[in-house]
Amino acid sequence: MKKEEFKQLGYALIDWIADYRETLTNRPVMSQVTPGEIKQRFAKAPPTHPEPLEGLLHDIERDILPGITHWNHPSFFAYFPSNTELASVLADLLTAGLGTQGMSWQTSPAATELEEVVIDWLRQMLDLSVSFTGVIQDTASTATLAALLCARERSSNFSQNAKGLSGFEAPLTVYASDQAHSSIEKAALLSGFGKGNLRYIKTNNEHALDTDALREAIALDKKQGRMPCAVIATTGTTGTTALDPIQNIAAIAQQEKIWLHVDAALAGTAMILPECRWMWRGIEQADSLVLNPHKWMGVGFDFSAYYTRDPQHLIRVMSTNPSYLRTEQDGQVNNYRDWGIPLGRRFRALKLWLVLRAEGVSGLQARLRRDLENAQWLKSQIDTTPGWERLAPVPLQTICLRHTPEGFTEEELTRHNLRIVHELNQSGKAYLTPSTLKNKQSIRVSIGALGTERSHIAALWELLKEAAKR
Ligand SMILES: Cc1ncc(COP(=O)(O)O)c(C=O)c1O
């Protein structure tokens, strides 16, 4: 592509993105296409010769947009939010424009040093002490895998690093609540613990980990000759944003000398609000933690922040030192390729830098507070409307509810509530995730898209009530 064409198309694309964001509400939130419908719009073979690109925006509208589910739509209430502030869009463009690869300090000193700066800014925003050092990972799944690899090696005195899975005789065990995210199971499997050595600990009425049950599980494993290795606590579970009692879990972890990793993928963002920090009281005792600014903070996917009290564990587990990667600055600088799984690294720090400059911490705080208030508003509607049931506490921005017409069996309730979600999603007016919570069918409303105001929540509530009548 020539410079002039790049400029012309680039300006037009920026205009298109700005207009797209402004007119999002005119589009169905969830893509309405059927499997294969998008693929068939494209040629089976690649273009042999260059094609003119003047029609690109038209092609995007015609062939791509129908297959887009609009995560930044104000009526997106599914999963967890995955916001991308416009400042983050620009940062991604800059990252691509610079085309840097930040595997070592020398391969782009700015990529490493800006990462050091923003990850420390974020530490301060979360009010974590200086005993935590951070690094950007792509996703929470990767960060949790890194944590379990570090835990495994610390427990086995780095013997598995040298000898692989045969390096330690007693099976190592991992603990997490029965509400833990699926990435924990994946990480336990990938890091070689084996599914049989992952213990799901039961949760209490508020869906938080039961620490008595954790103690019992650890005691039983020890009695049976296994070696407890790591516990993963969640601040803000995916199902209901339940809060595991970090302080109590940390006390057990310390006593048993096991690694405590805290998964605060969504809820970590809320910790920039002083009034929310009680939710992870005890966090200072964690060995590592992860939060995803690419969820609720507005930093576009992907950007996950991993903090640890001792980055040497990462380095001991992840570093390789072939001759072609050595540089004169080794030993004086951070080479982040040694702090994570991939060798190559995108310049992700630009995204957080630009979002913080554009919004300021106060701007982010105001938006989070708006979302928390909106969640409380919906909670109060459910609590005061006969025929509706709230299935979990609402400490953050997710509400789990269901419609409970009189006389319905559990099976009928499931079908009825699934139909409500299906109808809303198909209507394109809102997008929700159905989920089951301890055998009850739940409609899960997750608030937090950038443009979601009270009016959108009120409209959702009306839609739910209408759909429930049918
Ligand atoms: C609590 C929790 N942990 C981990 C993850 C995985 O996040 P990622 O997609 O960054 O791997 C999620 C995703 O929603 C989550 O809710």
Side-chain angles (χ1 to χ4, degrees):
M1 182 176 283
K2 299 262 181 339
K3 179 180 157 193
E4 281 315 313
E5 190 181 18
F6 172 71
K7 285 170 76 169
Q8 216 179 357
L9 212 52
Y11 297 147
L13 192 59
I14 293 281
D15 282 344
W16 184 89
I17 293 171
D19 292 343
Y20 160 75
R21 287 299 184 92
E22 206 175 70
T23 55
L24 265 180
T25 39
N26 303 335
R27 300 178 189 265
V29 193
M30 186 186 82
S31 166
Q32 308 284 307
V33 298
T34 51
E37 211 177 307
I38 294 296
K39 204 169 159 185
Q40 72 176 14
R41 295 166 189 239
F42 294 85
K44 289 209 166 54
T48 310
H49 303 293
E51 289 179 351
L53 286 174
E54 328 65 86
L56 180 69
L57 296 180
H58 174 258
D59 296 350
I60 292 173
E61 276 286 353
R62 190 192 55 200
D63 298 331
I64 303 285
L65 263 289
I68 293 297
T69 290
H70 304 283
W71 284 69
N72 287 272
H73 194 295
S75 296
F76 181 98
F77 301 109
Y79 306 102
F80 275 146
S82 182
N83 294 327
T84 306
E85 290 275 7
L86 287 175
S88 180
V89 175
L90 287 181
D92 257 334
L93 187 62
L94 180 57
T95 299
L98 293 171
T100 54
Q101 216 275 46
M103 58 190 180
S104 307
W105 178 88
Q106 194 187 68
T107 60
S108 269
T112 297
E113 296 195 11
L114 187 63
E115 180 160 341
E116 289 167 353
V117 169
V118 295
I119 209 79
D120 194 64
W121 284 0
L122 183 58
R123 178 192 64 72
Q124 294 173 47
M125 288 159 62
L126 300 166
D127 199 32
L128 290 172
S129 74
V130 285
S131 62
F132 282 101
T133 307
V135 59
I136 303 171
Q137 307 278 358
D138 53 7
T139 59
S141 304
T142 306
T144 295
L145 173 58
L148 281 189
L149 290 169
C150 291
R152 190 190 76 184
E153 292 308 316
R154 189 177 74 176
S155 287
S156 65
N157 200 19
F158 293 87
S159 70
Q160 301 204 359
N161 222 3
K163 295 184 188 163
L165 295 179
S166 60
F168 208 70
E169 270 145 39
L172 299 174
T173 48
V174 178
Y175 307 83
S177 93
D178 60 23
Q179 296 296 307
H181 188 260
S182 58
S183 57
I184 300 336
E185 177 174 320
K186 201 184 255 189
L189 295 180
L190 291 176
S191 49
F193 287 91
K195 212 170 177 173
N197 292 316
L198 171 62
R199 307 274 173 268
Y200 286 118
I201 307 299
K202 71 171 183 188
T203 44
N204 61 21
N205 289 343
E206 300 201 334
H207 312 291
L209 185 142
D210 175 335
T211 44
D212 289 336
L214 174 64
R215 269 185 220 286
E216 284 161 23
I218 290 175
L220 184 66
D221 277 327
K222 283 180 15 186
K223 199 168 148 207
Q224 296 180 342
R226 299 186 196 94
M227 186 174 180
C229 171
V231 56
I232 292 142
T234 308
T235 301
T237 57
T238 315
T240 67
T241 66
L243 307 165
D244 288 346
I246 306 291
Q247 204 160 23
N248 298 347
I249 298 171
I252 299 173
Q254 240 159 24
Q255 195 182 351
E256 300 291 344
K257 297 193 174 49
I258 63 180
W259 187 285
L260 169 58
H261 174 65
V262 176
D263 176 1
L266 176 274
T269 290
M271 303 308 145
I272 71 170
L273 299 174
E275 66 269 29
C276 284
R277 294 194 190 127
W278 63 268
M279 295 183 194
W280 70 0
R281 192 171 294 129
I283 192 69
E284 285 295 326
Q285 312 309 316
D287 291 287
S288 57
L289 68 103
V290 62
L291 70 140
N292 278 349
H294 70 218
K295 284 188 157 49
W296 194 11
M297 201 177 285
V299 179
F301 193 83
D302 51 2
F303 189 119
S304 194
Y306 177 79
Y307 288 90
T308 176
R309 284 198 285 131
D310 187 357
Q312 282 310 315
H313 285 105
L314 285 175
I315 295 167
R316 283 189 71 173
V317 173
M318 312 280 182
S319 71
T320 51
N321 198 17
S323 57
Y324 59 87
L325 289 179
R326 288 181 205 145
T327 62
E328 285 159 36
Q329 296 80 18
D330 291 356
Q332 306 164 46
V333 293
N334 287 328
N335 288 321
Y336 280 134
R337 65 166 191 272
D338 294 336
W339 296 48
I341 295 167
L343 167 63
R345 300 183 89 247
R346 275 161 50 70
F347 191 173
R348 292 188 179 86
L350 285 170
K351 287 193 281 196
L352 182 55
W353 181 56
L354 247 73
V355 167
L356 288 176
R357 289 191 62 176
E359 306 301 318
V361 178
S362 62
L364 299 182
Q365 287 174 325
R367 180 166 56 74
L368 299 183
R369 288 190 176 116
R370 174 202 67 178
D371 296 342
L372 293 172
E373 280 167 24
N374 282 340
Q376 289 306 313
W377 180 84
L378 183 57
K379 171 180 177 269
S380 69
Q381 302 304 306
I382 295 155
D383 289 352
T384 54
T385 309
W388 290 85
E389 184 187 1
R390 183 165 52 79
L391 296 170
V394 184
L396 290 160
Q397 43 60 269
T398 300
I399 302 113
C400 293
L401 59 127
R402 65 178 187 164
H403 186 234
T404 53
E406 255 177 60
F408 273 39
T409 62
E410 203 54 50
E411 211 175 297
E412 285 166 339
L413 283 178
T414 299
R415 270 205 303 276
H416 176 66
N417 282 281
L418 280 175
R419 181 192 55 78
I420 294 174
V421 174
H422 179 77
E423 273 185 29
L424 254 65
N425 289 351
Q426 288 303 321
S427 76
K429 291 183 182 152
Y431 184 30
L432 303 161
T433 314
S435 66
T436 39
L437 189 58
K438 298 187 180 156
N439 299 324
K440 286 184 180 173
Q441 183 59 52
S442 153
I443 298 177
R444 189 175 160 285
V445 179
S446 172
I447 296 171
L450 294 175
T452 307
E453 299 292 346
R454 177 67 54 82
S455 58
H456 300 105
I457 314 289
L460 171 72
W461 181 225
E462 291 309 314
L463 286 171
L464 281 167
K465 286 190 294 187
E466 274 305 308
K469 280 188 205 152
R470 288 194 281 272

